[in-house]
Structure formats: C-alpha cells, structure tokens
Amino acid sequence: LLFFSIGSLVMGTFFKKKDKQILQLEKLRKITKMNSTSFMILREILDSQDEDALIYDVNTNQILLANKKACQTLGFTTNEIVNSHLDIIISKNFNPIVFNVAKDKTSEELRQFVTKCGYSFIAGTKNKKISIQNKKYQLISFRNLPKLAEISATDKNDDTGYIKFTERLFEISHQIT
C-alpha cells in the first residue's frame, strides 16, 4: 500500500509537470499565431539542436521560438524573446560575414549578437531556411568565438568539409581589408 501511494505521488507529479509543459507550449503557439502543425514541426527542429538556437519568421523577422541555451546566453526569458523582433539580439552595426553557403539552404556566418543587458559578442552561426505550408522560417544556431576556437583546436578531421577556425579568421581579415 505504501509503495502504491509513493508511486501514485510520483506519477501525479510527473503528469502535473507534463501538463504544465503542454500548457506552456500551447501558450507559445498562440502568442506566435502559428497553426499547430507548423508549431510542432518547428519545435521538433529546435529541440534537435545541441547549440544555442532560435527560429524566426523570415517575412516579419519575428522570433517564434528559442531554446533554453539561447535564452540563457542572451539573458532573456522565453516569454521575453518570443514574439520579439530579431533586431533586439542581432546588431545592426556589424554586417554578417558569410563563409559558406550550401545547396541545402544552409549558410555559416559570423554575427554580432546583443544580450538583454547590452553586452555584445561575436558568434559563429549556422543558418538553415525552412519552408512549411508556404511560409518561410529560418533556424539560427550559434556558438560564441571562444567555443568555436575550442572546437576548432580539437578538429583533426580535415575532410569534413568545414574550414578550420583559424582559416576563417584569416578569411575575415582579407574581407575586411
């Protein structure tokens, strides 16, 4: 009987957390005014990202979704960043430097991001265009430069198709001068 009571308590807590998550997702979907299918597809894409990531509407530059890592890095809560304009986190003073554009609608860039408290940082981004039901979205996943340098230093596989970080910086200096 005691085991059943503890099990019921644990399961009840589990379901309450799940119900709360579902309600939060539904609230986000309503805020962004997306239909359920588009929202769930974009949510799955965002959840599959290991890096800081967000998704925005290409036509309006409205941020629709952001993962927890991106919110923490940028200093926003999910409620603060969702439905905001992309300009609150992407600097207008720094034109992105594009490194790689692939046939599958992905690109790699260096961009300047701005946090909620006003600090800025440069990050390497991977951008992927997504079309769902005749609407265009873009996924931006990003890592700041120290993290990119750390990854580049451990990258021993030259045939992956990626340009090493030091080569990218050399490329930037040529583009700037």
Side-chain angles (χ1 to χ4, degrees):
L1 184 64
L2 179 62
F3 179 72
F4 179 74
S5 296
I6 292 172
S8 297
L9 179 64
V10 169
M11 288 304 286
T13 303
F14 173 77
F15 286 119
K16 284 180 185 175
K17 285 183 181 179
K18 278 292 176 195
D19 288 344
K20 187 176 180 182
Q21 288 173 341
I22 291 169
L23 288 173
Q24 287 173 333
L25 287 174
E26 183 59 20
K27 181 180 173 187
L28 274 177
R29 187 191 68 74
K30 286 180 180 176
I31 288 171
T32 59
K33 299 177 183 139
M34 283 193 289
N35 67 45
S36 296
T37 304
S38 297
F39 182 81
M40 293 313 291
I41 292 169
L42 292 174
R43 186 78 224 169
E44 284 179 27
I45 291 169
L46 188 71
D47 289 344
S48 70
Q49 300 301 304
D50 293 329
E51 301 172 343
D52 299 17
L54 56 93
I55 295 175
Y56 72 95
D57 183 316
V58 172
N59 295 321
T60 64
N61 282 343
Q62 173 191 12
I63 299 170
L64 302 173
L65 297 167
N67 67 12
K68 191 174 187 174
K69 289 179 184 180
C71 290
Q72 289 173 341
T73 299
L74 297 166
F76 289 92
T77 65
T78 303
N79 289 337
E80 290 172 327
I81 202 165
V82 168
N83 229 19
S84 297
H85 197 273
L86 197 59
D87 287 350
I88 69 165
I89 61 163
I90 303 284
S91 173
K92 296 175 198 169
N93 300 329
F94 182 88
N95 291 330
I97 298 170
V98 180
F99 292 109
N100 188 15
V101 179
K103 292 179 184 177
D104 68 347
K105 300 180 182 176
T106 61
S107 65
E108 293 181 49
E109 303 172 344
L110 277 184
R111 288 185 179 225
Q112 183 178 27
F113 286 83
V114 180
T115 65
K116 181 180 176 182
C117 62
Y119 294 114
S120 67
F121 63 94
I122 304 294
T125 66
K126 290 182 183 175
N127 311 297
K128 181 164 181 69
K129 293 183 179 168
I130 305 164
S131 293
I132 302 172
Q133 299 178 344
N134 297 323
K135 290 204 71 172
K136 296 190 184 308
Y137 306 98
Q138 185 160 337
L139 167 72
I140 299 177
S141 58
F142 59 95
R143 287 188 177 152
N144 63 24
L145 286 183
K147 187 70 173 171
L148 280 176
E150 178 184 311
I151 291 167
S152 179
T154 61
D155 185 14
K156 304 287 189 245
N157 188 357
D158 289 334
D159 58 358
T160 61
Y162 292 107
I163 301 171
K164 290 191 175 192
F165 180 70
T166 52
E167 293 171 7
R168 288 184 177 183
L169 287 179
F170 181 72
E171 208 173 296
I172 292 169
S173 68
H174 279 278
Q175 289 180 9
I176 293 173
T177 55

